Amino acid sequence: MSEAIHSAIAAHALSGLLVVALFAWLEYVFPPLPGDSTMLFAFFLAGQGALSLPAVAVAALAGSVLGAMTAYAIGARLGRGYFLLRSAWARDELRRIEGWFAHRGARLLLVNRFLPGVRGFFLYAAGIGRLGVRPTLVYSTISNVLWVALLAWGGTSLGTTWDQVRVVFRRYLWGIAAFLTIYVILAVLRARRRRAARVMTSS
């Protein structure tokens, strides 16, 4: 599948940009699809001069923001009845993220794009939890801007061949994801301890 996507991107500039925007959108709505690798490959081509770097950045960001708000709208409209949430794993991930939202609010969306595998659930959970549209748009867009900037840097700076870029960027990705996951878990645990301490003090 990835080979076909990459061929479509490389075949023609306009169709390539449309593919980038489409897969950036799809990754939020139907996870997991290869949105990140599609955008990274397009940025790699931009670094080689085959595509316009600003155009790839606009396509990647537009698709990502639209995908985030689409997932939010689906969560608000369909709730837990959405078909992707029928698996036990998906339900468990959703419950965990809802717990994070209960303690951190919409600001948690700042890190959603940097957590592979579960990033789409953040926006569904935001919709299900009826977080405000404006904070959801603002925080998820900031997250997407930072993520697209990271992809642009990786695609244009991490190697002279696609295999080189892909392997090195994957290492960066998992390192960042591990750090942020640990940070979020520790922040939630810290908030729970503070809440427990306040309850004990008031009683």
Side-chain angles (χ1 to χ4, degrees):
M1 182 177 181
S2 293
E3 291 294 331
I5 295 169
H6 293 173
S7 297
I9 295 173
H12 188 271
L14 180 58
S15 64
L17 295 175
L18 291 175
V19 169
V20 169
L22 175 63
F23 273 84
W25 177 79
L26 284 172
E27 188 173 27
Y28 267 112
V29 182
F30 299 107
L33 282 172
D36 284 344
S37 63
T38 300
M39 290 185 285
L40 184 65
F41 181 71
F43 280 120
F44 169 71
L45 291 181
Q48 302 298 306
L51 291 174
S52 163
L53 180 60
V56 173
V58 169
L61 184 59
S64 296
V65 171
L66 181 60
M69 297 313 293
T70 301
Y72 171 84
I74 292 173
R77 173 105 184 176
L78 300 182
R80 290 175 179 79
Y82 187 48
F83 70 93
L84 283 181
L85 302 180
R86 291 178 183 172
S87 73
W89 174 81
R91 289 194 300 271
D92 289 343
E93 290 299 329
L94 178 64
R95 278 195 293 267
R96 181 169 64 167
I97 293 169
E98 285 181 303
W100 292 351
F101 274 130
H103 294 96
R104 311 302 293 182
R107 289 175 300 171
L108 187 63
L109 290 169
L110 288 170
V111 302
N112 89 91
R113 203 67 177 89
F114 294 83
L115 299 175
V118 299
R119 60 175 57 133
F121 291 112
F122 278 78
L123 276 301
Y124 289 118
I128 292 169
R130 294 297 194 272
L131 290 183
V133 175
R134 181 175 295 178
T136 298
L137 176 61
V138 169
Y139 289 120
S140 64
T141 298
I142 292 172
S143 184
N144 276 310
V145 167
L146 295 174
W147 182 247
V148 169
L150 180 64
L151 287 171
W153 169 78
T156 58
S157 305
L158 291 181
T160 57
T161 68
W162 167 238
D163 284 338
Q164 213 174 17
V165 169
R166 179 175 54 83
V167 170
V168 175
F169 188 79
R170 186 177 297 168
R171 293 173 186 162
Y172 275 96
L173 171 62
W174 285 109
I176 293 169
F179 171 79
L180 288 176
T181 300
I182 293 170
Y183 173 80
V184 170
I185 291 172
L186 290 176
V188 170
L189 292 175
R190 192 162 52 244
R192 287 180 178 176
R193 284 198 299 269
R194 285 199 298 264
R195 189 173 68 254
R198 284 196 300 268
V199 170
M200 292 179 62
T201 302
S202 61
S203 60

